[in-house]
Amino acid sequence: MATKINGLVNMYRVTADDWDSWRDVKSHFDVSRDFAASGLIGAEGLFGQSWPDLDMLPLGWLTDPGVNQGPHRSCALSIEEQRSQMTLWAMVKSPLMFGGDLRNIDDVTMSLITHPTLLAINAYGTNNKEFSGISFVRGSTHTEVKASPGSFKPISEQLLRLSNCQRENTKNWTIEPKNRNMNKVCWNDGWAMTSQLRMCLHWRVQPNASSDWNIIRYGEHNLRRNGQSYVLASLMEEICLDSSPNKALTFGRVKSNYFAPCNYHERQDWELTPDGALLNTYSGLCARVSKVEAMNEVDEARAWITNGSTGEIYIAFFNLGPNRLTISTELKDVLNMSHIRDKMGKNKGIDNEHQLESKCSGFDVWNNQDLGVVTDKLVSDVQSHGCALFILTCT
């Protein structure tokens, strides 16, 4: 869809709502990588260029999602996580929109959102992309893991969608017993039958409602028998399949736009037809499951790279995992990146068939440390959910 609309606008949202949880922040890395790889960062747009929007930055003094209450709490992200989010948004050249209360902004938040290096990357960086030429060591171990293109293996995942009920591939739902007190509705096309990640939704009846009111909900909860219907044994907050949800979930919550908090509206009343369609009579739409290609990868560490406006190179290491990582890259791998090598090679009159030799000095942005001459490797200890950001100036 992005390739159809990018020429009509200057910016467009590419994720659901982003709030101050690491799960939300982490879920933006794959999206960012894919949009960069597709050449959509700074692509042709309305009267100029267009930019994928990763959503506002939930930093500083905030409210909560879906409440009618003003700002009343601090951002739940750690300082390391906030730096990671701001650095990724800058590298992706996402529009930078502050989502906190400017009337009560603190010095740390102000210094982060106005950081001159991040603003320079966001405004002037070119050829921004994820960089796979890194390796890392976990904690105090000595086992090195290469985060190279070979680490990325395509797998298939299932995505729930809503569509016209006349489509032939909407009639693959069946009720299956989970145990003697509980049923589930599962998608059973040929591919899903062999998948360990088969899409199943739990079926129940709203308490104290008519017997023909059925709600499909997502996730696991204990249910108990009550007459001829199934009701919740626990009244915890729930997420239900909704034909037109009016309250957006955060991006890290579910991989479908069709789940919303349960409210027993007709939008959440589903019928399993005799021919195997899961129908919502309110919208006239049917649920179906499609297969999408995803990535199963060694994704504890990520890196992004970009060219600066005066020939400098920016490179960021990200630690997405729960443990401290020592992340490194070979300088030759950085210089052999095609867009960097072409630019520097042209300036120095070096043919691309020959190894580019260059003397580079480095600066660690977050530690405010001059690294001097970088000879062969760029190495950093990166805390859990944190990042390192470097500027390389090569001559």
Side-chain angles (χ1 to χ4, degrees):
M1 179 179 289
T3 57
K4 296 180 181 179
I5 68 169
N6 69 281
L8 306 175
V9 298
N10 298 120
M11 57 175 282
Y12 51 99
R13 276 282 294 276
V14 296
T15 71
D17 291 348
D18 172 69
W19 282 86
D20 52 329
S21 75
W22 177 246
R23 179 167 56 179
D24 279 12
V25 175
K26 183 179 178 181
S27 62
H28 287 73
F29 278 85
D30 287 353
V31 175
S32 301
R33 175 197 62 208
D34 295 344
F35 271 83
S38 300
L40 290 169
I41 296 178
E44 181 183 358
L46 182 66
F47 305 123
Q49 294 173 286
S50 63
W51 312 96
D53 172 23
L54 300 183
D55 199 17
M56 291 189 295
L57 295 158
L59 307 174
W61 195 243
L62 303 172
T63 186
D64 293 306
V67 301
N68 294 320
Q69 183 179 6
H72 59 275
R73 64 176 181 85
S74 296
C75 173
L77 295 172
S78 68
I79 296 300
E80 294 288 341
E81 292 169 341
Q82 293 180 46
R83 285 179 176 175
S84 292
Q85 179 168 29
M86 187 70 188
T87 304
L88 177 65
W89 263 237
M91 280 286 187
V92 180
K93 297 177 73 72
S94 171
L96 299 178
M97 294 177 286
F98 180 61
D101 185 352
L102 277 171
R103 300 166 301 178
N104 294 291
I105 191 168
D106 59 276
D107 291 342
V108 173
T109 303
M110 177 63 84
S111 66
L112 181 60
I113 66 175
T114 60
H115 196 287
T117 300
L118 297 180
L119 296 183
I121 292 171
N122 185 258
Y124 305 115
T126 57
N127 297 306
N128 304 51
K129 63 168 65 175
E130 187 174 277
F131 173 54
S132 61
I134 59 172
S135 60
F136 62 91
V137 176
R138 298 185 183 97
S140 59
T141 69
H142 300 284
T143 303
E144 187 174 63
V145 179
K146 290 288 289 182
S148 63
S151 301
F152 297 86
K153 300 178 181 179
I155 61 170
S156 294
E157 289 187 349
Q158 298 178 88
L159 184 66
L160 187 68
R161 304 180 187 273
L162 299 183
S163 65
N164 189 309
C165 294
Q166 299 304 313
R167 295 185 61 153
E168 188 173 330
N169 62 346
T170 60
K171 301 175 174 62
N172 292 310
W173 295 97
T174 59
I175 289 184
E176 298 183 6
K178 183 172 182 181
N179 56 48
R180 64 191 184 121
N181 291 325
M182 184 173 173
N183 285 346
K184 58 184 179 180
V185 183
C186 295
W187 181 258
N188 288 313
D189 67 350
W191 174 79
M193 290 292 287
T194 62
S195 172
Q196 295 181 347
L197 301 175
R198 194 159 55 113
M199 174 70 76
C200 289
L201 304 167
H202 298 284
W203 183 284
R204 69 176 174 87
V205 173
Q206 180 197 12
N208 304 318
S210 60
S211 60
D212 61 349
W213 185 282
N214 299 297
I215 292 178
I216 299 296
R217 62 171 306 282
Y218 181 84
E220 296 282 349
H221 279 283
N222 293 324
L223 287 88
R224 54 182 167 83
R225 174 82 65 179
N226 181 12
Q228 298 301 313
S229 63
Y230 292 96
V231 299
L232 280 176
S234 171
L235 295 180
M236 291 187 290
E237 180 185 359
E238 304 230 333
I239 302 300
C240 287
L241 182 58
D242 194 310
S243 61
S244 55
N246 56 16
K247 180 179 178 182
L249 298 177
T250 62
F251 190 53
R253 290 286 296 276
V254 294
K255 291 185 177 179
S256 171
N257 290 329
Y258 303 114
F259 289 100
C262 300
N263 58 18
Y264 310 116
H265 189 276
E266 285 84 356
R267 296 187 305 265
Q268 298 178 355
D269 183 11
W270 295 87
E271 172 188 351
L272 185 62
T273 65
D275 58 354
L278 196 55
L279 168 67
N280 177 255
T281 55
Y282 177 80
S283 65
L285 297 174
C286 283
R288 65 183 179 92
V289 176
S290 60
K291 183 171 68 171
V292 295
E293 293 300 317
M295 304 301 294
N296 182 19
E297 61 210 73
V298 180
D299 68 350
E300 287 178 76
R302 299 286 185 96
W304 274 72
I305 193 168
T306 184
N307 283 0
S309 60
T310 59
E312 71 275 22
I313 303 166
Y314 298 98
I315 183 166
F317 296 158
F318 297 93
N319 178 357
L320 309 190
N323 304 306
R324 179 179 62 83
L325 299 179
T326 301
I327 305 175
S328 63
T329 186
E330 301 281 349
L331 182 61
K332 63 181 178 61
D333 291 335
V334 174
L335 299 180
N336 277 329
M337 290 284 291
S338 60
H339 59 276
I340 294 173
R341 186 178 180 184
D342 288 345
K343 181 175 180 180
M344 294 177 63
K346 181 177 180 181
N347 291 342
K348 294 169 69 69
I350 298 176
D351 191 288
N352 280 349
E353 295 299 320
H354 299 87
Q355 174 66 42
L356 178 64
E357 295 182 359
S358 185
K359 182 178 180 181
C360 299
S361 59
F363 183 78
D364 184 331
V365 173
W366 294 127
N367 288 320
N368 194 30
Q369 179 182 2
D370 187 347
L371 303 178
V373 176
V374 179
T375 55
D376 56 351
K377 268 190 175 185
L378 195 60
V379 184
S380 181
D381 244 10
V382 185
Q383 298 300 315
S384 171
H385 302 174
C387 73
L389 178 61
F390 303 100
I391 306 173
L392 292 178
T393 304
C394 302
T395 57

